[in-house]
Amino acid sequence: MDVCRELAQQLGPGRSPGERAIAARTLLSLLEREGDEAVIRPIDVVLADCVPSLLQAAQTPTRSATSLAPDPRVTSAAVIDMADAALLLLGHLCGCGLQTLEAAGWHVDDDGTGRGRPIYVHPASGQSQQTPPDLVAEVFGAELDQKDAWALTLLFELSTITSPYANPLDGSLCWPARIRYHEPETNEFTPTSDSTPLPHKLAMTIVDVAQDDDEEEMDEENDVTPEGGKETRLAFTRHLVLGPWHGIPSFRETEIDLDHPPPGSHLESWYTCAMVCAGFLATRKSGRGKCLIVGLGGGAMASFMGRHWPGINVEAVEIDARVVKVAERWFGVKCEPSLLKPEDGVLGDGADEPQHFKLDDDSRPARVRVTNAESFVTSAMRDPECRYDVILLDVYTRGEFPASLVNETFFERLRGLLKTKENEGWDGALVVNAGVGADRTRVQEIVEKAFPVSKVLLDANASNRMDDDYENAVVLGLLSSSVSTSKSAATESVVNIDFSAKEWKRRAVEVRESWPEAPLPPFELKNAIHGVNNEIMLAWAGNSMLDEEENEDSGEGQGSGPRVKADEVQLLAKDDPAFSMFD
């Protein structure tokens, strides 16, 4: 296994084509040894995270979409040799995976769509499925830990991932998983801006995933659907993965839809929508305020807020400078200061990159600090300028919350960075991506102790509320002030953040009036249901204000009266059962 990890370093895209070709051939020769001479197993190569480096090497040459042959006119001989060596090793791994399946009574069929999508069939039982069977116990017994089961699944999927096909729209070559960038795991120390060392560097992969997007197309003239009812095209999403790449279903830090340009125009997950929604509602009138994001990742939330809410000044803290550079280069995040060098390029710079997905010149940049979250929070406590309307804590990664940050001291210090009515005239809010399962429970307990008021945001469309594996929960820590009621001398807790569809609409109209050139968000809060244990179930819908503007632009809205104003949006009473978020 150690030799695999050493060769995985040599396979990395940072090495020369010659070095990478030698590493691939060395691994292949070790795999081909049999019996007592066997040094490594195919599963060891996958566990060492060699697959993304091999895929990137194989995908580097410009290839014909029909013959798959590399074009020597635009690709050097050294790069072609590297790609050939990588393909030979990938082919060997594919064969080993297919042999393992056949030994267990399974075989792989094509689904007949021409997209290389597999169907796993077990003739003896008549079973067929789209995902690989779980054969870890049958093949390895106790030799392979269950946490490493992903490696066997990826070995089975390689025959699909390594099979490119022609894009049905333009005939260009399409890889099911196109590796844009990969950096192998190392144990080197990486200094951050405050000299705090990172003792461990995770592997990092940027991958563009192709998938079918079935859209029902209408014949506008005849108001009928074309034959077949649907037109199938390819949609591409870009993933940021930290740690070993587990294949297309890897846990991803960030995901963006490349069919939704420019960067920041959309959010691709329920929890990021919930976090920015809470952040938006926690800021002042017209969406003015100051937001701190702890854990930049691919920068989806920073880009979204910078594009749609110009009145919010976004700052971010990220422990890994590599993540900041990737967010800038591959996800189009505007960072201040920029860590990119001229040789790094910019979004859409490469000839084979999607040319429609480029930077948005109008989006506001985020001020980014590369430092440890604990160190930043400790130093920020002494700086009166570091006070925020809202803090978005998004450090849940690889399916777990960092153990060093799950403590009352850290959360109490975060609370100390929030603006208060006593000092700033406004109470701030903490918004936390709490993950699932035990992590969510622990984060919720700490927030309840650190804040006077706490709420838990959940996906209203989750299919099974008792299952901890649904979408990440978002936990809120809210400051409150005590005010006298007119009915009695007793005090009640008044929260400065109201989750309701009406309030979302009113605030959106305010922003529109103050920032008429800012694009409207593509979604709006559809429903908010107050459940037990301070839970709020949220659901999203397309932004109705976008439809209204389209109708106005097309003339369909003429005669319908002036556009609604913020003070004309009627708020529901706090005791309204449909939208009230108050106990």
Side-chain angles (χ1 to χ4, degrees):
M1 188 65 177
D2 288 341
V3 68
C4 283
R5 298 197 182 280
E6 291 175 8
L7 290 169
Q9 296 297 316
Q10 190 174 327
L11 273 173
R15 300 297 186 93
S16 69
E19 290 177 301
R20 299 176 72 185
I22 291 172
R25 290 192 172 98
T26 301
L27 282 170
L28 181 58
S29 66
L30 294 175
L31 283 171
E32 289 175 338
R33 296 184 182 181
E34 298 179 354
D36 295 338
E37 295 185 358
V39 178
I40 60 175
R41 305 165 299 173
I43 198 74
D44 296 327
V45 178
V46 180
L47 284 169
D49 203 29
C50 293
V51 169
S53 290
L54 292 169
L55 282 172
Q56 194 274 343
Q59 295 165 352
T60 298
T62 301
R63 297 180 179 275
S64 165
T66 53
S67 67
L68 302 185
D71 187 347
R73 297 170 298 177
V74 294
T75 308
S76 69
V79 169
I80 292 176
D81 182 61
M82 170 193 71
D84 289 344
L87 282 173
L88 286 172
L89 178 52
L90 286 169
H92 183 88
L93 294 173
C94 289
C96 293
L98 293 174
Q99 289 175 10
T100 302
L101 283 169
E102 291 172 0
W106 292 81
H107 69 261
V108 183
D109 286 342
D110 188 270
D111 72 347
T113 63
R115 308 293 172 80
R117 295 183 302 198
I119 297 292
Y120 297 88
V121 181
H122 191 263
S125 65
Q127 185 177 357
S128 64
Q129 57 193 57
Q130 294 180 327
T131 57
D134 182 1
L135 301 178
V136 173
E138 183 175 342
V139 175
F140 290 100
E143 292 182 34
L144 187 68
D145 194 298
Q146 190 60 39
K147 68 180 178 61
D148 295 326
W150 64 268
L152 186 59
T153 299
L154 180 54
L155 192 64
F156 293 158
E157 291 180 331
L158 273 181
S159 58
T160 301
I161 294 174
T162 57
S163 301
Y165 50 86
N167 189 320
L169 291 182
D170 57 15
S172 61
L173 188 67
C174 178
W175 294 85
R178 177 67 184 266
I179 306 297
R180 293 293 180 182
Y181 177 87
H182 178 69
E183 194 170 322
E185 179 180 293
T186 73
N187 290 318
E188 299 173 1
F189 281 75
T190 304
T192 58
S193 60
D194 66 351
S195 301
T196 303
L198 288 175
H200 192 66
K201 283 177 62 175
L202 294 170
M204 180 184 295
T205 305
I206 307 297
V207 55
D208 289 354
V209 176
Q211 57 192 28
D212 286 347
D213 183 17
D214 294 331
E215 290 191 344
E216 188 164 316
E217 299 289 336
M218 298 295 294
D219 182 331
E220 295 183 1
E221 183 175 348
N222 299 312
D223 195 30
V224 295
T225 57
E227 186 176 354
K230 289 185 177 181
E231 179 181 285
T232 300
R233 63 183 182 87
L234 288 179
F236 293 88
T237 57
R238 178 165 293 170
H239 302 169
L240 165 61
V241 178
L242 293 178
W245 186 63
H246 294 184
I248 292 175
S250 289
F251 182 94
R252 40 201 180 262
E253 308 301 317
T254 300
E255 175 181 344
I256 58 172
D257 189 337
L258 297 179
D259 288 339
H260 287 156
S265 60
H266 285 69
L267 292 170
E268 303 303 327
S269 69
W270 176 91
Y271 95 84
T272 52
C273 289
M275 290 189 75
V276 299
C277 170
F280 174 52
L281 293 176
T283 55
R284 307 179 188 216
K285 183 178 179 180
S286 301
R288 289 182 171 87
K290 194 173 178 182
C291 171
L292 173 67
I293 300 176
V294 181
L296 178 68
M301 292 190 294
S303 289
F304 189 89
M305 297 180 81
R307 175 173 170 78
H308 295 97
W309 300 316
I312 300 178
N313 294 317
V314 178
E315 298 181 13
V317 173
E318 172 56 53
I319 193 172
D320 193 341
R322 302 173 311 149
V323 171
V324 178
K325 291 182 68 174
V326 159
E328 289 190 89
R329 170 62 181 88
W330 295 103
F331 293 86
V333 181
K334 283 189 175 180
C335 296
E336 196 176 74
S338 173
L339 299 188
L340 290 180
K341 299 177 181 178
E343 59 267 26
D344 293 324
V346 296
L347 186 70
D349 200 34
D352 62 340
E353 293 183 47
Q355 294 303 298
H356 64 278
F357 199 79
K358 292 183 179 290
L359 293 172
D360 178 14
D361 294 333
D362 296 328
S363 180
R364 287 173 59 104
R367 181 186 178 192
V368 179
R369 295 179 175 91
V370 180
T371 183
N372 178 289
E374 296 165 285
S375 300
F376 170 80
V377 170
T378 301
S379 62
M381 291 286 293
R382 301 188 293 268
D383 184 355
E385 295 297 316
C386 294
R387 297 297 180 267
Y388 304 93
D389 296 270
V390 62
I391 298 175
L392 308 183
L393 181 61
D394 189 19
V395 294
Y396 186 77
T397 182
R398 302 177 70 198
E400 61 184 14
F401 206 94
S404 62
L405 302 183
V406 189
N407 60 79
E408 293 179 23
T409 300
F410 179 68
F411 277 77
E412 287 171 355
R413 288 175 176 169
L414 285 175
R415 184 186 65 187
L417 298 184
L418 293 172
K419 294 178 179 180
T420 63
K421 285 184 178 176
E422 289 76 11
N423 297 324
E424 305 287 344
W426 189 262
D427 275 342
L430 173 67
V431 186
V432 187
N433 173 13
V436 298
D439 282 315
R440 171 201 158 178
T441 301
R442 179 58 178 150
V443 168
Q444 187 174 349
E445 290 173 350
I446 293 175
V447 171
E448 287 174 350
K449 290 181 179 179
F451 286 82
V453 181
S454 66
K455 300 288 181 182
V456 181
L457 307 183
L458 299 172
D459 184 358
N461 296 320
S463 59
N464 186 352
R465 187 59 52 201
M466 301 302 293
D467 184 359
D468 273 338
D469 292 330
Y470 61 85
E471 185 80 49
N472 293 6
V474 174
V475 175
L476 307 184
L478 306 173
L479 299 177
S480 64
S481 61
S482 296
V483 297
S484 297
T485 66
S486 58
K487 295 182 179 180
S488 69
T491 62
E492 65 177 3
S493 180
V494 178
V495 184
N496 72 306
I497 180 170
D498 176 17
F499 278 92
S500 72
K502 289 287 186 180
E503 175 67 5
W504 172 273
K505 172 77 82 172
R506 186 181 69 83
R507 297 292 300 276
V509 172
E510 284 182 350
V511 172
R512 198 61 171 164
E513 292 175 348
S514 299
W515 312 94
E517 300 303 318
L520 289 167
F523 62 86
E524 65 183 12
L525 186 57
K526 176 184 178 182
N527 203 355
I529 304 170
H530 194 187
V532 298
N533 300 322
N534 291 321
E535 292 181 350
I536 306 172
M537 276 63 78
L538 301 182
W540 312 104
N543 194 334
S544 58
M545 293 172 68
L546 286 172
D547 295 333
E548 292 167 7
E549 288 198 350
E550 288 179 2
N551 290 337
E552 288 181 6
D553 292 340
S554 64
E556 293 178 15
Q558 294 178 0
S560 58
R563 183 179 297 174
V564 66
K565 296 181 180 180
D567 56 7
E568 295 174 349
V569 179
Q570 182 180 0
L571 295 180
L572 296 184
K574 292 180 179 179
D575 58 356
D576 189 297
F579 296 111
S580 176
M581 294 301 106
F582 293 84
D583 291 322

